[in-house]
Amino acid sequence: MIAEAGLAALWFAAALALLQLALTAFGLAGGKSDLLGAVRPVAVAQGVLTAIAFIALIALFLRSDMSVLLVSTNSHSAKPWLYKFAGTWGNHEGSMLLWVTVMGLAGAAVALFERALRRDTHMATLGGQAAISLGFYAFLLFASNPFARVTPAPQDGQGLNPLLQDPGLAFHPPTLYLGYVGLSVAFSFAIGALLTRNVDASFARAMRPWVLAAWVLLTLGITAGSYWAYYELGWGGWWFWDPVENASLMPWLAATALLHSVTVLATRDSLRAWTVMLAVVAFSMSMVGTFLVRSGILTSVHAFAVDPSRGTFILVLLAFYIGGALALFGWRVGAVREGAQFQMVSRETMLVINNLLLTVILGVVLIGTLYPLMTEAFGHKVSVGPPYFDRVAGPIALTLMLAMAVGPLMRWRRDQAGVVARRIAVPAAIGLVALVTLALTVGRTIGVLPFAGLVIAAGVGVASLAPLWKRNLLRTPLFTWGMVIAHLGCAVSVAGMAADSAFTQEKLVAARPGDRIDAAGWTIVFDRILPIAGDNWTALQADMTVSRGGGTPVAIHPQSRFFTTPPTTTTEAALLTRWNGQLYIVLGQEADQGRWQLRIWWKPFVTFIWLGGALIALGGVLALIGRERRGWQHKWRGRRVEA
Amino acid sequence: MKRLMIWLPLALFLGALVLFAGRLMQPDDHLVVSKLVGKPLPVFTLPPAASDRAGLTSAQLATGKPRLLNIFASWCVPCAAEAPQLMALKQAGVEIDAIAIRDARPDVDAFLSRWGNPYTRIGLDARSGVQIALGSSGVPETFVIDGQGHIAHQHIGDIREDDVPKLLALLERAK
Amino acid sequence: MMRILAFLALLLAVPVHAQTALPPALYADRQIADPALEKKASELMATIRCLTCQSQSIADSNASMAGDMRSEIRQRIMAGESPEHIRGWLIERYGDWVSYQPTAAPILWPLWAAPLLLLALGAFLMRGRLKRGEKR
């Protein structure tokens, strides 16, 4: 019954999306503007229906209703409730339902809360949102129905892939999806603005909070995913430049560029066509990423349900939406004036440089990811991996950091180079001190890129705080705080990446219980190894006590886990976090004569990577609250004056 | 110029679309083909892997007559599955030598007594060194070696029944 | 058809392949005593693609063939061979595919040129936005 209700809700939602599209089309193009009054309620109803469908699927998973095919193939009644719940989106159909639910809710939010946009543009935006949703409803209903029944219902389910049974599953995919799909709002805004020829500063101010919100969620999703991969894979790495990771990075890069260009458009009424382009690109990258991941055309370490026929369906959606949007852009944007030109020394110039560099990184990641496909069309197999991306994206990203240090210290419109130089003097001096200190201490033992990363992180970290200099901190607007914290987060993150790559120490040993191992200043006593049993796994667990410099010993327990359905072995690394780094121990295979292979890392300041990510997201949240609050204050004051 | 820039994104996207569609129609085979096909065998000398067969050196593979070099292992299931096909090739008069990968003599003996022994010589490659030198990426694989000791063809994966005539034809061509 | 569905799941685990019962090769999981040589070897291993689990480097893979390749690389490094020479030796056998670090083969020239071309294109587009030589 619940399954049928969920399916019915989906069909109704799809019908409403069609209605929403028709209403906006006839209302705007056919001149029947009285139809437009119905658009917003329809959008809200559509959002509610998708939420009902999603809740229905969650209920089916929680109740372990094995007569539903999706539940029986992906769940098991004996699973902890958290994984039953999170397992809802731990599969293709469920995650696509999450996708349309986010899309429906985002559309409802735009209908309910968007007040700043011109009415016709608002309606065209909702029309655009409905048009995109329709394609994904079709995909769900015709090619990935999550509510299909199976007869006879099996006794019990096949279980969730044990690899996914981690709290990370509850957090990482939903935030990432909220971000991915949240960018569809910016996409629809761009479509709406192009259709109604309304690209200006007020449009940018209206779009900004939506972009910010999606960007914050995307940042959180990527940060969480990176940490999940880091502790689960047991390789000690936090980013592999794998196609699936690149697929999540590309929308983020586009959204970050968009976030900055939309500010230029809002403040100076310039970069109109460019901002619209970025809004189209950001969501396009989300869709391309989904296609790359689901179609299986690229090999990845991240296992996904791969199905070429579904790939074809998504490809058609891509052709339709991205192709359509880019064609609309080409057709309409000729009439959009790009706006005022800039003085060389001004904040807008720095923001343009930001956009330029972010777009180049995006281009490099995209080309690098697709390059093996291109060469294979010529019968030549190649691999493009971390060495390429690090070498190419690394220096560009560090240059971008420099622009990030200087940009916020410049005035809009025009500034004087000498004055800017004075403002940047202290951070530059800090950077110089870091440079000299590093050169004298570690010198040439670390690579050029990590070296530059540490120096730049030091300088930029200080520079990012400089906008607060000599200001009354209580009266500093919240969105300025947001910018400062997000930029500081970038510096913190880069410091973590550089420290990890420069100073990580690795030790491989084959040890027997009773052995003492010295690694990177730590003393590790391998006490014993013993089998233990968990919920649906058994494991070999190593009990160890570790201490540093005569400090209190701490017990840690790396494991090697065995699952039977399907037969898999996973490593559960033991992580010990200290303020200045993490000790990371992996229990490997039995080597010989009762000795066990251990992989031990000491990773100085590695946690800064994700701490920085969290700061970036926090900065985004503060900026969002700050902007919205100011908007409400203005409105409230305006109303009071009128009264 | 400006017009060109405006339509450039669409043009690039259409290019990518063609690329994606092409790949969907012709998915990745995930095979890593040895680049040594058409080139001489690397020089190697391997100790015997089985009690009743001699070891293998690269020189023994260049005898003027084309032959097969089978890469197998006693722990590999597809290797047992292709055993009847290797026997059929042997019965057709093909000379087959083998390299056992990461194996031990008792295991190889047991494997051969269970699934049959079509091999003239079997070298033991305990650390995959020769396998890597050959550009082979897994077990089982079968190389067609011509009379001069050049690699004429690499068959990746187990030999199925319909592969037998193909391999015979390749051996004929390698003469 | 693979029906093991996984969502953004990291393939954290090695499927239990039929793998040999032999212990790993001597230098598969043993570091070279000289840290400088070990650094050379591990940097190279991180950029060589595993042949059995095709999305990992041999440094991260638990496959036995990856272990053999690690041992081979460490032993060659100890014998004084340069990392780039070993990479070249592997590419001769497995093609450019085996190296995560793209080579300088002509088919990869556009890949290396891409960042420069993109920067040039970006600078060209940006030029139109800036007022030139106007000082007040």
Side-chain angles (χ1 to χ4, degrees), chain A residues 240-263:
Chain A
F240 306 96
W241 294 105
D242 180 86
V244 168
E245 295 169 349
N246 293 351
S248 73
L249 181 65
M250 290 189 284
W252 185 85
L253 289 167
T256 311
L258 176 60
L259 197 59
H260 291 87
S261 82
V262 89
T263 301

Short mmCIF file of all heavy atoms in Angstrom, two decimals, chain A residues 240-263:
data_model
loop_
_atom_site.label_atom_id
_atom_site.label_comp_id
_atom_site.label_asym_id
_atom_site.label_seq_id
_atom_site.Cartn_x
_atom_site.Cartn_y
_atom_site.Cartn_z
N PHE A 240 41.85 11.22 -4.66
CA PHE A 240 42.56 10.35 -5.59
C PHE A 240 42.46 10.82 -7.04
O PHE A 240 42.95 10.16 -7.92
CB PHE A 240 42.04 8.92 -5.47
CG PHE A 240 42.09 8.40 -4.07
CD1 PHE A 240 40.98 8.45 -3.25
CD2 PHE A 240 43.27 7.91 -3.55
CE1 PHE A 240 41.03 8.01 -1.94
CE2 PHE A 240 43.34 7.46 -2.25
CZ PHE A 240 42.23 7.51 -1.44
N TRP A 241 41.76 11.93 -7.26
CA TRP A 241 41.51 12.42 -8.62
C TRP A 241 40.85 11.32 -9.45
O TRP A 241 41.12 11.13 -10.62
CB TRP A 241 42.79 12.90 -9.31
CG TRP A 241 43.37 14.12 -8.67
CD1 TRP A 241 44.47 14.17 -7.89
CD2 TRP A 241 42.89 15.47 -8.76
NE1 TRP A 241 44.70 15.46 -7.48
CE2 TRP A 241 43.76 16.28 -8.00
CE3 TRP A 241 41.82 16.09 -9.42
CZ2 TRP A 241 43.60 17.66 -7.87
CZ3 TRP A 241 41.65 17.45 -9.28
CH2 TRP A 241 42.53 18.23 -8.52
N ASP A 242 39.99 10.58 -8.80
CA ASP A 242 39.23 9.53 -9.45
C ASP A 242 38.07 10.19 -10.20
O ASP A 242 37.59 11.24 -9.78
CB ASP A 242 38.73 8.60 -8.35
CG ASP A 242 37.92 7.46 -8.89
OD1 ASP A 242 38.53 6.46 -9.25
OD2 ASP A 242 36.69 7.59 -8.94
N PRO A 243 37.61 9.60 -11.31
CA PRO A 243 36.52 10.24 -12.07
C PRO A 243 35.32 10.63 -11.22
O PRO A 243 34.73 11.70 -11.42
CB PRO A 243 36.14 9.19 -13.10
CG PRO A 243 37.36 8.39 -13.31
CD PRO A 243 38.10 8.40 -12.01
N VAL A 244 34.96 9.77 -10.26
CA VAL A 244 33.78 10.08 -9.45
C VAL A 244 34.04 11.29 -8.55
O VAL A 244 33.18 12.13 -8.33
CB VAL A 244 33.37 8.85 -8.62
CG1 VAL A 244 32.34 9.20 -7.57
CG2 VAL A 244 32.81 7.78 -9.55
N GLU A 245 35.26 11.38 -8.05
CA GLU A 245 35.60 12.55 -7.23
C GLU A 245 35.64 13.81 -8.09
O GLU A 245 35.14 14.86 -7.68
CB GLU A 245 36.96 12.32 -6.56
CG GLU A 245 36.92 11.18 -5.57
CD GLU A 245 38.29 10.77 -5.08
OE1 GLU A 245 39.30 11.22 -5.65
OE2 GLU A 245 38.35 9.98 -4.15
N ASN A 246 36.22 13.68 -9.27
CA ASN A 246 36.26 14.83 -10.17
C ASN A 246 34.85 15.28 -10.52
O ASN A 246 34.57 16.46 -10.64
CB ASN A 246 37.03 14.48 -11.44
CG ASN A 246 38.50 14.25 -11.16
OD1 ASN A 246 38.96 14.53 -10.05
ND2 ASN A 246 39.22 13.75 -12.13
N ALA A 247 33.95 14.28 -10.65
CA ALA A 247 32.56 14.62 -10.99
C ALA A 247 31.93 15.46 -9.89
O ALA A 247 31.05 16.28 -10.16
CB ALA A 247 31.75 13.35 -11.20
N SER A 248 32.37 15.29 -8.64
CA SER A 248 31.80 16.12 -7.57
C SER A 248 32.55 17.45 -7.45
O SER A 248 31.99 18.45 -7.02
CB SER A 248 31.82 15.38 -6.24
OG SER A 248 33.14 15.32 -5.74
N LEU A 249 33.81 17.45 -7.85
CA LEU A 249 34.60 18.68 -7.74
C LEU A 249 34.19 19.71 -8.80
O LEU A 249 34.17 20.91 -8.53
CB LEU A 249 36.09 18.35 -7.89
CG LEU A 249 37.05 19.53 -7.76
CD1 LEU A 249 37.00 20.12 -6.36
CD2 LEU A 249 38.48 19.12 -8.10
N MET A 250 33.87 19.24 -10.00
CA MET A 250 33.61 20.19 -11.09
C MET A 250 32.42 21.10 -10.81
O MET A 250 32.53 22.31 -11.00
CB MET A 250 33.48 19.43 -12.41
CG MET A 250 34.82 18.85 -12.87
SD MET A 250 34.83 18.18 -14.52
CE MET A 250 33.97 16.64 -14.26
N PRO A 251 31.27 20.58 -10.33
CA PRO A 251 30.19 21.51 -9.99
C PRO A 251 30.61 22.49 -8.90
O PRO A 251 30.21 23.65 -8.92
CB PRO A 251 29.07 20.60 -9.49
CG PRO A 251 29.38 19.25 -9.97
CD PRO A 251 30.87 19.18 -10.14
N TRP A 252 31.44 22.02 -7.97
CA TRP A 252 31.88 22.92 -6.88
C TRP A 252 32.72 24.06 -7.43
O TRP A 252 32.56 25.21 -7.05
CB TRP A 252 32.66 22.13 -5.84
CG TRP A 252 33.04 22.95 -4.64
CD1 TRP A 252 32.27 23.18 -3.54
CD2 TRP A 252 34.26 23.67 -4.44
NE1 TRP A 252 32.94 23.99 -2.66
CE2 TRP A 252 34.15 24.31 -3.19
CE3 TRP A 252 35.42 23.84 -5.19
CZ2 TRP A 252 35.17 25.12 -2.67
CZ3 TRP A 252 36.44 24.64 -4.68
CH2 TRP A 252 36.32 25.26 -3.43
N LEU A 253 33.63 23.73 -8.35
CA LEU A 253 34.48 24.77 -8.95
C LEU A 253 33.62 25.79 -9.68
O LEU A 253 33.80 27.00 -9.54
CB LEU A 253 35.49 24.14 -9.91
CG LEU A 253 36.61 23.33 -9.27
CD1 LEU A 253 37.34 22.50 -10.32
CD2 LEU A 253 37.59 24.26 -8.56
N ALA A 254 32.66 25.28 -10.45
CA ALA A 254 31.78 26.20 -11.20
C ALA A 254 30.96 27.04 -10.23
O ALA A 254 30.80 28.25 -10.42
CB ALA A 254 30.87 25.41 -12.13
N ALA A 255 30.46 26.40 -9.15
CA ALA A 255 29.63 27.14 -8.20
C ALA A 255 30.46 28.19 -7.46
O ALA A 255 29.97 29.28 -7.18
CB ALA A 255 29.00 26.17 -7.20
N THR A 256 31.72 27.86 -7.16
CA THR A 256 32.58 28.84 -6.48
C THR A 256 32.81 30.05 -7.39
O THR A 256 32.75 31.20 -6.95
CB THR A 256 33.92 28.19 -6.11
OG1 THR A 256 33.66 26.95 -5.45
CG2 THR A 256 34.72 29.07 -5.17
N ALA A 257 33.08 29.78 -8.67
CA ALA A 257 33.26 30.89 -9.61
C ALA A 257 31.96 31.71 -9.69
O ALA A 257 31.98 32.94 -9.65
CB ALA A 257 33.65 30.35 -10.98
N LEU A 258 30.86 31.01 -9.76
CA LEU A 258 29.55 31.68 -9.89
C LEU A 258 29.28 32.57 -8.68
O LEU A 258 28.81 33.70 -8.81
CB LEU A 258 28.46 30.61 -10.04
CG LEU A 258 27.02 31.09 -10.08
CD1 LEU A 258 26.80 32.04 -11.25
CD2 LEU A 258 26.06 29.91 -10.18
N LEU A 259 29.61 32.04 -7.51
CA LEU A 259 29.41 32.78 -6.27
C LEU A 259 30.12 34.13 -6.31
O LEU A 259 29.61 35.13 -5.81
CB LEU A 259 30.01 31.93 -5.15
CG LEU A 259 29.62 32.23 -3.75
CD1 LEU A 259 28.13 32.07 -3.63
CD2 LEU A 259 30.31 31.21 -2.85
N HIS A 260 31.30 34.15 -6.93
CA HIS A 260 32.07 35.39 -6.98
C HIS A 260 31.60 36.29 -8.13
O HIS A 260 31.56 37.50 -7.98
CB HIS A 260 33.56 35.07 -7.09
CG HIS A 260 34.12 34.47 -5.82
ND1 HIS A 260 34.07 33.12 -5.57
CD2 HIS A 260 34.69 35.03 -4.73
CE1 HIS A 260 34.62 32.87 -4.38
NE2 HIS A 260 34.99 34.02 -3.85
N SER A 261 31.26 35.67 -9.26
CA SER A 261 30.85 36.52 -10.38
C SER A 261 29.48 37.13 -10.09
O SER A 261 29.18 38.24 -10.51
CB SER A 261 30.83 35.73 -11.68
OG SER A 261 29.65 34.99 -11.81
N VAL A 262 28.65 36.41 -9.34
CA VAL A 262 27.32 36.93 -9.06
C VAL A 262 27.45 38.16 -8.15
O VAL A 262 26.65 39.09 -8.20
CB VAL A 262 26.44 35.81 -8.45
CG1 VAL A 262 26.54 35.74 -6.94
CG2 VAL A 262 25.00 35.98 -8.86
N THR A 263 28.51 38.19 -7.36
CA THR A 263 28.75 39.36 -6.52
C THR A 263 29.16 40.56 -7.37
O THR A 263 28.73 41.69 -7.11
CB THR A 263 29.86 39.03 -5.50
OG1 THR A 263 29.42 37.92 -4.72
CG2 THR A 263 30.13 40.19 -4.58
#
